[in-house]
Amino acid sequence: MSSIPPFAATPASSCCGSESRAEPSRFGDWRSGAGGANPAAKSIRETLQMTRIAFIGLGNMGGGMAANQAKAGHDVAAFDLSPAALERAAEAGCRTVASVAEAVKDAEVVITMLPAGPHVLSVYSEQIIGVAPASALLLDCSTIDVETARKVAGLAKEAGYAFADAPVSGGTAAADAGTLAFMVGCDEADFARVEPALDPMSRITIRAGDHGAGQAAKICNNMLLGISMVGTCEAIALAEKLGLEPERFFEIASKSSGQCWSVSNYYPWAGPVPTAPSNRDYEGGFATAMMLKDLKLAQDAAAKAGATTPLGAQAEALYALFNGLGYGGKDFSAMVQMLRGRLDTLAQ
């Protein structure tokens, strides 16, 4: 490993976004029949049973994802720098190993879920490419910048590997349940191989375009999510000040023009959505620090592309403030307590 910081199991490897069902892609979702059947993908999926899979990065997201690969009957060689993460993986049916090289040496599919671009570039360039069999399919499910994703894809392709950037949406609950949404950037010819490899972890898998397009989709999606959550939190804070109970506001907003995923699936006030982190003191969801990371990626991408994203910039500033106050480990929906002026209700 280079001087890049370790990628031990950490909330940094978590990702989150809208779970609202996406429009069927032109490639279809052969598991549900949406958009047309994909017999080729189905055939390949069947041959992938008992596949040797290397899974690198067993954090909040990766742990559940690797477990679902094991539940699907695959031989999963799992690696992370965290002993606790390795123990959880072993309990979930994975075969834990002592290094990246050991995990990938005989792999047919390599899946990585790492905290940031530098980790991805380091692990692929130094420990996967040239070590894994050239026939292995390489899938990076981390959320990183588009430029790094394309650089890793170039290195992989030059060495003869099929590679895809395949970031996820859905959060830890979906990772555990195997119902993530995958946004894939890859060569079109490789998608029929990518889709079934992701199937044990997926509710829907969509090819966004060529290499880097998966990351572009994830960055834009999470910018939209961050903005909509701030709006939801502001509306709750205002409703409360105006004498409207937040629970009653949910009944109205979830069935009217204010409806969005942040309201209907992730309401930041305890009660109306039992599965939302607001019912668990904002623990166990998508950490504020991770939303801030994704918003920074969006702003960096916007600057390079010459795009104007004023609401994205404002959302980044608000999450940076919340994170700076010491609440980076709380779910990003805890922003509502800052906007209410009730940070005293949050344990740090």
Side-chain angles (χ1 to χ4, degrees):
M1 182 82 66
S2 70
S3 60
I4 297 299
F7 58 89
T10 165
S13 53
S14 296
C15 313
C16 184
S18 171
E19 287 193 80
S20 56
R21 185 163 293 277
E23 291 294 324
S25 73
R26 63 190 178 91
F27 299 93
D29 177 8
W30 51 264
R31 285 168 287 103
S32 64
N38 188 340
K42 184 173 182 179
S43 175
I44 292 173
R45 176 179 180 246
E46 290 169 348
T47 67
L48 279 172
Q49 297 305 311
M50 301 302 293
T51 292
R52 293 186 302 275
I53 294 179
F55 206 109
I56 315 301
L58 305 170
N60 287 351
M61 296 293 291
M65 294 165 67
N68 280 307
Q69 290 286 358
K71 288 176 187 175
H74 299 313
D75 172 21
V76 181
F79 177 73
D80 195 285
L81 294 178
S82 165
L86 289 172
E87 183 177 349
R88 289 191 295 271
E91 291 172 353
C94 299
R95 175 170 55 85
T96 59
V97 295
S99 67
V100 173
E102 185 179 354
V104 306
K105 65 179 181 179
D106 296 317
E108 295 168 87
V109 178
V110 176
I111 302 172
T112 52
M113 178 57 99
L114 305 174
H119 303 89
V120 173
L121 179 58
S122 172
V123 170
Y124 273 92
S125 64
E126 299 175 18
Q127 300 181 68
I128 295 178
I129 294 173
V131 179
S135 58
L137 173 64
L138 309 182
L139 304 173
D140 179 44
C141 298
S142 318
T143 297
I144 62 173
D145 60 286
V146 174
E147 184 178 351
T148 297
R150 288 175 177 160
K151 183 172 184 178
V152 173
L155 292 173
K157 196 168 185 177
E158 184 179 351
Y161 293 91
F163 173 87
D165 51 290
V168 305
S169 172
T172 55
D176 292 341
T179 57
L180 291 165
F182 286 83
M183 294 154 270
V184 178
C186 68
D187 288 342
E188 185 171 353
D190 291 333
F191 186 65
R193 188 180 174 197
V194 170
E195 187 176 18
L198 296 174
D199 182 67
M201 310 177 289
S202 170
R203 171 177 57 81
I204 187 168
T205 299
I206 299 173
R207 180 176 178 267
D210 293 332
H211 294 115
Q215 296 297 344
K218 176 61 187 292
I219 290 169
C220 294
N221 182 75
N222 272 26
M223 183 180 74
L224 178 58
L225 175 63
I227 292 167
S228 69
M229 181 57 76
V230 170
T232 299
C233 293
E234 284 188 350
I236 290 172
L238 176 59
E240 185 183 27
K241 288 288 188 182
L242 296 175
L244 177 62
E245 293 181 356
E247 295 89 346
R248 183 54 56 87
F249 177 64
F250 169 81
E251 294 178 22
I252 296 166
S254 64
K255 296 177 177 63
S256 59
S257 57
Q259 190 277 333
C260 63
W261 188 87
S262 294
V263 170
S264 299
N265 294 66
Y266 220 78
Y267 199 60
W269 190 272
V273 180
T275 56
S278 53
N279 298 284
R280 305 186 300 273
D281 192 32
Y282 303 97
E283 297 290 345
F286 184 44
T288 292
M290 295 304 99
M291 174 53 79
L292 178 59
K293 168 202 159 186
D294 289 357
L295 289 169
K296 287 181 179 296
L297 287 173
Q299 290 308 294
D300 288 346
K304 291 176 181 176
T308 302
T309 55
L311 292 181
Q314 187 60 50
E316 180 196 356
L318 286 168
Y319 284 108
L321 174 59
F322 192 44
N323 181 70
L325 290 171
Y327 298 98
K330 290 290 186 182
D331 182 78
F332 75 115
S333 65
M335 170 72 69
V336 69
Q337 303 302 350
M338 184 176 81
L339 296 175
R340 293 178 67 226
R342 292 302 308 273
L343 287 174
D344 60 300
T345 66
L346 294 175
Q348 287 184 301

